[in-house]
Structure formats: C-alpha cells, structure tokens
Amino acid sequence: MDLYTFNSPSSQLGMLERSFIAMLLTGITTVVTVYIIGPTFIGGFVGQGVLAASLITLWLWSLGIRYLLNNWFVRQRSQLKRLIIDESSLPEFLNDFRSQYEFQQLVPLNQPGSTQPEVDDEFCRWAGDWNDLETRLASDEFAGVIITTAEQIPEQLIDRLMQIRINGLRIFRVSDFYEQYLSKLPIFHLNQHWLATVHGFELIHNPIGLRFIRYIDIVIALVGGLILLPLIIAVGLTIVCSSGWPIFYRQARTGENGKQFSVIKFRTMGVDAEVDGAQFAQEEDPRITSIGKILRKFRIDEIPQFWNVLKGDMSFIRPRRERPEFIQMLKQDIPYYDLRHMLKSGITGCAQVKYGYGDSAEDTAEKLQYDFFFIENYSLILDISILVRSMKVILFGTGR
C-alpha cells in the first residue's frame, strides 16, 4: 500500500486511507487463516474481540508512528544540501529532483562560469568553480557530491574527490543517484562507454536464469488461464452483446531482438477505432467503449496475453512494447530506445507500476528510464516487487 513511501504533509489523507485498507486486508486475512481454514484450537486461543481490539490498536499505533516519521522525514529532507559538479545535464537533473533537496553548483575551470551561470531555479544556487570545492564543503554541511558532468574530469579534481570520499562524504555519479533515489536511469546522461562497461544487465547474460523464468511463465499462464476461463467467457459474451464482434483485438508489436509478433487483447474500442491509422491511446480516449473502460481500469483486457506468454512471444514481467508504427519515430527522439528490444515484451513492467499512464513521446522517454533500471538491476526480488505493485493496480483500478 506504499506505506513505506514518505510523502509531503499535504498527502497525509492518502496515507490514512491506504493504512485503513491495509489493516482491513490484514484483518480479513487473519480471520480467514485463524477462524475458517486454520486449526480449530487456534480460534480457541484468539477470541474475536481480542482480534478486533488488537487490529484497532495496531492501526492507531502504526498510523501515529507514520505521521511522526513522515513529518520528521520531510523536515530533514528539506535541509539536505548536495553539491553538484556540473557540465551539461543540470536542467534535466533539477527537473527530476525539484523541491526534494537543496543543491549548490560548481562549474568547470577555464569555462564561461567566472560569473554566476544562468540557472533559474530556486533549488540550485551558484557555489563557484571547481577550485572552490574544498571551500564550499568546509563552509556548510553537505550530504554528498553529485557529478553530473559528462566530460572528462581533470586529474587534480579526481584526487580531491578521492580525498573527500576517504574523509567520509558520499560521491555519486548522476546515474547512481537516480538509481538510488528514483529507481530509474537518466537516458539524457548515458553514453556508450557507460553502457559498455557498467556492472549489471545480468538478465541478458544468464541463459539458465532466462530458461527458469520461461518455465515459470508457462506454469503461471496455464494455471492462470484455466482459473480465469469462466471470466474470459463472461467478458467475451459481454463484448459481443454490447458492441458486437470481434471479441479480441490483435495488434502488431516489436518483440525480442526486433522480431514482430501479434499481441492479443480483449477489444476495448469501437470496431472502426483506427480507421484513420495508428495513434497513441489517450487517458480519456473517446474511442473506448463503456465496457472497455471497465476492462482497462482493472486490466482485464490484458488476460488474453496469457496466450502470447505460452507461445513464447512475451513474458509476464518485462518492458512493455510500443507498436512498430511508433518505434521509428521514438528511436529518432529517444536515445538508446532500441536497447529495450534485447528482451521479450512484458504484460507488466517497472515503468507501468512506477509511472503509469503515458500518451506521448515524452512519457515514453520517461518510462524508458524505468525499463533501463529494470534491465540493469534485474533480480527475483525486483520481479516480486513489480508483481505485488501490479496486483495493487489491478485490485484498486489505479494507473493506466
């Protein structure tokens, strides 16, 4: 329920709602496991009144603790200062971390910067050039130094940064800062040298792990398909009765290594929705039918993709793909866009649970940064995290 994500005080009502739902689900689960399917003697030890009182006490206690921690965290975060060694990526960086931290900026030596650079942002202040590094760090308390410059750093500055790290202050490359605090990779800052040498990307170097994931996909698709068969039949009949045939909608997608395949979904738009050609779906798309809105809200339209998983065209958790009609345009506008095609397409992915709806090239670029994070940092724990977040999206109809 995202209760370990600290937000600003203005969103504390959302915390109240989420904590209540979490406690309600905890209560239901406990009742089922203790009084319904659990051994009889357990119910004798735990009276229903005791359980109710315990749940209420736990909810009030945990909610109070979270309010206190949230307010403390917001105050502490607003006081954090970080020193930026900057060359060219500052505007994008500040846009992503706006209002979260206070930054001070150092610019390169022997560059136009002897006067204050044009940084029109209340969260970043001019601090001097690279010669002022020790002076600035000694004059204030900083939580770390962030290197956003894409250029080669002079050897004398490397020596000073090494000494700063030995003395206990954190040094971040901009990509590391993004990974740690936003769980994404900044495509505006990546280059071929970084992509060729960075640690990670184990998912594409582990054939045994990929084979294991393939077996899991097959089992889940078979068992899930059988369990959901009554729902599939009911949805099919509903679509026919409300808007006629066809029940399913097929769409070309670009899969692993650029190979195209046909993805199958329940039809959620009118039959003539694309008479004028392919176009991005919109958040309030007028082409979507009344039944289609419900199917999309709770992701029911994605169920037929279990067949794509069985065929091997897709996996359950991977970066989702765009249509071939859009890919050529996106490749021109977004750096390294093709890298996401090194893996199979997915039904859900890191971008879907972290970012949600997107209907433009800018949204696609933002989602690509989460996909890169997934590819570089793949682990079973990350898969489970995405699965849990996806279930929350399905149950509560949030996101796209």
Side-chain angles (χ1 to χ4, degrees):
M1 301 307 299
D2 288 332
L3 288 171
Y4 290 91
T5 302
F6 295 126
N7 298 308
S8 63
S10 62
S11 63
Q12 288 180 354
L13 181 60
M15 183 202 297
L16 175 65
E17 295 168 345
R18 294 196 308 272
S19 66
F20 179 77
I21 295 173
M23 200 55 61
L24 185 63
L25 292 174
T26 301
I28 292 172
T29 304
T30 306
V31 167
V32 170
T33 54
V34 171
Y35 300 117
I36 299 179
I37 64 175
T40 306
F41 70 88
I42 296 180
F45 284 126
V46 184
Q48 297 179 11
V50 172
L51 175 60
S54 299
L55 287 171
I56 294 172
T57 303
L58 175 60
W59 178 52
L60 294 175
W61 176 83
S62 64
L63 186 61
I65 292 296
R66 291 181 195 283
Y67 272 122
L68 292 174
L69 285 176
N70 184 74
N71 288 326
W72 176 85
F73 183 80
V74 170
R75 287 197 303 270
Q76 293 297 314
R77 187 173 64 180
S78 64
Q79 297 172 11
L80 287 178
K81 298 177 183 178
R82 301 180 188 272
L83 191 66
I84 299 175
I85 297 179
D86 164 69
E87 175 79 24
S88 59
S89 304
L90 187 61
E92 297 90 345
F93 179 88
L94 290 178
N95 185 62
D96 285 328
F97 289 95
R98 187 177 305 277
S99 78
Q100 297 189 40
Y101 307 101
E102 180 182 333
F103 299 101
Q104 294 188 22
Q105 178 196 15
L106 296 176
V107 298
L109 297 169
N110 303 320
Q111 295 285 338
S114 54
T115 59
Q116 181 173 344
E118 296 181 3
V119 180
D120 184 19
D121 198 291
E122 60 180 306
F123 306 106
C124 184
R125 293 190 288 115
W126 162 246
D129 60 32
W130 290 352
N131 271 332
D132 300 317
L133 180 59
E134 289 89 350
T135 304
R136 292 306 309 150
L137 291 176
S139 66
D140 211 337
E141 291 187 6
F142 287 90
V145 175
I146 306 167
I147 304 172
T148 65
T149 176
E151 301 298 327
Q152 186 69 29
I153 299 177
E155 193 64 34
Q156 65 270 24
L157 185 59
I158 292 291
D159 292 339
R160 280 184 272 174
L161 289 173
M162 185 66 185
Q163 189 59 46
I164 290 169
R165 166 165 271 179
I166 292 173
N167 291 337
L169 193 61
R170 287 188 171 187
I171 308 292
F172 294 93
R173 294 179 303 176
V174 67
S175 57
D176 298 331
F177 197 75
Y178 269 82
E179 286 189 65
Q180 181 166 337
Y181 292 98
L182 293 183
S183 297
K184 66 179 184 180
L185 286 173
I187 58 174
F188 63 82
H189 188 81
L190 304 184
N191 54 47
Q192 289 186 335
H193 179 270
W194 184 91
L195 290 167
T197 59
V198 71
H199 174 75
F201 293 94
E202 296 301 323
L203 190 58
I204 61 176
H205 303 303
N206 187 358
I208 296 177
L210 289 173
R211 178 60 59 182
F212 178 69
I213 294 170
R214 174 66 185 143
Y215 292 149
I216 293 178
D217 282 340
I218 292 173
V219 171
I220 295 177
L222 283 173
V223 175
L226 290 174
I227 294 174
L228 295 173
L229 186 58
L231 176 62
I232 294 173
I233 295 173
V235 171
L237 292 173
T238 303
I239 292 174
V240 171
C241 293
S242 62
S243 59
W245 297 91
I247 296 174
F248 300 109
Y249 172 67
R250 294 181 180 273
Q251 191 179 79
R253 293 289 173 94
T254 300
E256 188 175 18
N257 297 321
K259 181 182 177 182
Q260 290 192 17
F261 68 98
S262 180
V263 69
I264 181 171
K265 296 184 178 184
F266 282 122
R267 182 172 60 84
T268 59
M269 294 186 179
V271 178
D272 58 349
E274 295 197 331
V275 66
D276 296 325
Q279 54 186 290
F280 279 111
Q282 304 170 33
E283 191 165 3
E284 297 293 337
D285 203 316
R287 300 173 297 165
I288 300 176
T289 64
S290 56
I291 297 298
K293 291 180 180 179
I294 299 175
L295 299 182
R296 287 192 171 214
K297 182 177 179 63
F298 295 99
R299 306 306 191 276
I300 299 173
D301 63 316
E302 310 279 0
I303 293 176
Q305 293 178 64
F306 282 31
W307 176 247
N308 291 111
V309 174
L310 278 175
K311 289 173 59 181
D313 295 328
M314 300 178 66
S315 184
F316 277 100
I317 302 175
R318 287 291 185 276
R320 283 172 65 102
R321 299 297 157 77
E322 290 292 350
R323 301 170 64 173
E325 296 91 335
F326 303 137
I327 286 178
Q328 290 304 317
M329 175 193 69
L330 295 171
K331 284 167 59 176
Q332 295 176 5
D333 297 337
I334 304 173
Y336 307 112
Y337 183 82
D338 252 353
L339 288 179
R340 68 201 310 269
H341 297 136
M342 67 177 68
L343 301 173
K344 291 180 180 179
S345 177
I347 294 179
T348 187
C350 192
Q352 279 63 51
V353 299
K354 292 280 190 179
Y355 188 77
Y357 186 83
D359 58 4
S360 66
E362 291 76 15
D363 290 330
T364 302
E366 185 70 21
K367 293 166 75 171
L368 181 64
Q369 298 183 86
Y370 292 105
D371 288 334
F372 274 13
F373 175 85
F374 172 84
I375 296 171
E376 187 204 355
N377 297 278
Y378 176 80
S379 67
L380 181 60
I381 297 299
L382 183 56
D383 257 0
I384 294 173
S385 172
I386 294 172
L387 181 61
V388 170
R389 287 175 175 267
S390 298
M391 292 302 296
K392 185 189 72 171
V393 169
I394 293 170
L395 290 174
F396 298 105
T398 57
R400 180 174 178 173

